[in-house]
Amino acid sequence: MEVERWLEVDDQMRVGGSDWLYAIGDVNGRALLTHMGKYQARLAADHILGKDVTATADRRGSPRVTFTDPEVAAAGLTLAAAREDGINVRAVDVETSATAGASFHGRNTPGTTRIVVDEDRRVIVGATFVGSETAEFVHAATIAIVGEVPLDELWHAVPAFPTRSEVWLKLMEAYGL
Ligand SMILES: Cc1cc2nc3c(=O)[nH]c(=O)nc-3n(C[C@H](O)[C@H](O)[C@H](O)COP(=O)(O)OP(=O)(O)OC[C@H]3O[C@@H](n4cnc5c(N)ncnc54)[C@H](O)[C@@H]3O)c2cc1C
């Protein structure tokens, strides 16, 4: 699909300043993913119902999963994208399988987990989980990113033992908390 043919919409999904024509999904070129089209649909419906809404989630690095083996699951900005946006960022990398819970998914299976931290605000702006069945990791990262949860608060979000979510603990420790 050529960029020129996308329907430009505003943050309420209205086309070209129209007050009645909405365009959601791939056709507007904002985020070519099923779940983001559904998000835009909910947002457009809310706006049609008169609610004061503004789309943000399809502008800052939508959650995305590449269903390969190993899987690549990510949310928010990559390190390169964050730097392009002029954010003062630091990447923190740990082995995705470096937890007790990972034993149940194959000990020492390959893959790296990375968070991208905005050092000025001390919040996570991006996360990528590579490894065995990492797709379900990504929503925790989405919540941390959208909620702009400070790292010092995230330190108190204790992952249960022995789950693979302890990768968050490894990340916080590697960051220096
Ligand atoms: C190989 C592949 C894998 C993907 N995997 C994922 C995934 O794992 N997860 C994910 O979130 N997204 C995935 N996507 C992207 C996802 O499919 C799209 O983002 C999503 O389908 C967009 O939905 P849509 O309703 O906007 O458009 P579409 O699903 O493209 O629907 C548009 C519909 O309009 C019809 N149409 C077009 N022109 C006309 C016309 N003139 N008159 C009437 N009807 C017309 C088309 O036939 C089509 O049925 C994948 C895409 C591809 C190609």
Side-chain angles (χ1 to χ4, degrees):
M1 187 180 292
E2 296 172 26
V3 173
E4 288 79 11
R5 296 179 64 192
W6 290 344
L7 294 177
E8 293 287 333
V9 296
D10 61 17
D11 288 339
Q12 289 72 41
M13 303 300 133
R14 291 170 296 189
V15 179
S18 163
D19 62 358
W20 62 270
L21 180 62
Y22 293 74
I24 59 170
D26 283 8
V27 75
N28 66 32
R30 287 169 65 110
L32 279 63
L33 292 159
T34 299
H35 45 280
M36 299 319 291
K38 291 166 66 180
Y39 165 72
Q40 294 168 359
R42 293 193 294 274
L43 203 121
D46 281 345
H47 192 258
I48 291 165
L49 289 171
K51 295 182 188 170
D52 184 16
V53 289
T54 299
T56 54
D58 53 358
R59 288 288 196 211
R60 61 199 304 182
S62 309
R64 52 211 181 264
V65 177
T66 308
F67 294 99
T68 45
D69 184 13
E71 283 180 342
V72 182
L77 303 174
T78 62
L79 180 62
R83 284 181 173 152
E84 276 173 26
D85 283 358
I87 305 171
N88 173 28
V89 281
R90 174 183 155 198
V92 178
D93 294 347
V94 299
E95 285 297 308
T96 305
S97 62
T99 62
S103 306
F104 307 116
H105 289 265
R107 199 183 297 271
N108 299 325
T109 51
T112 300
T113 289
R114 162 173 289 181
I115 54 171
V116 179
V117 179
D118 178 334
E119 286 286 75
D120 296 336
R121 297 189 300 137
R122 281 173 71 88
V123 297
I124 296 174
V125 294
T128 302
F129 305 85
V130 181
S132 172
E133 297 177 24
T134 54
E136 300 296 342
F137 279 129
V138 82
H139 195 55
T142 302
I143 292 169
I145 293 166
V146 173
E148 301 182 330
V149 183
L151 284 186
D152 296 302
E153 292 295 328
L154 216 46
W155 182 236
H156 299 280
V158 180
F161 176 89
T163 68
R164 294 195 301 155
S165 290
E166 283 195 312
V167 73
W168 284 95
L169 194 55
K170 302 288 180 187
L171 288 163
M172 298 298 111
E173 288 170 346
Y175 180 77
L177 291 177

